[in-house]
Amino acid sequence: MNTFKELDIVALTQDRQTTQFEKEASIILFKRQVGTIVMEYDDQVFEVEFSNSLNFIFSRH
């Protein structure tokens, strides 16, 4: 059973290279960067949205 659900706030436990979804530019999300779960696909797969203080969305995973 998973304790995460949609709209939970989560933080990365390690740096992660990814793609900024609107511009398809390569970016790095850093350890401790905070995101919000926006979709749960199953108990182990989530879409997490990361943004800055101006609500610019960096990435969705």
Side-chain angles (χ1 to χ4, degrees), residues 23-37:
K23 297 180 182 179
E24 297 186 15
S26 181
I27 61 170
I28 297 175
L29 297 173
F30 294 101
K31 181 178 179 177
R32 297 186 186 98
Q33 191 158 356
V34 174
T36 303
I37 296 175

Side-chain angles (χ1 to χ4, degrees), residues 6-22:
E6 286 183 24
L7 302 181
D8 278 354
I9 305 298
V10 295
L12 293 174
T13 58
Q14 59 188 7
D15 293 349
R16 181 175 178 97
Q17 186 159 353
T18 187
T19 302
Q20 195 279 337
F21 83 103
E22 289 177 331

Side-chain angles (χ1 to χ4, degrees), residues 6 37-48 61:
E6 286 183 24
I37 296 175
V38 294
M39 180 72 71
E40 179 179 356
Y41 296 101
D42 64 36
D43 285 345
Q44 297 181 359
V45 179
F46 300 90
E47 184 172 325
V48 179
H61 284 280

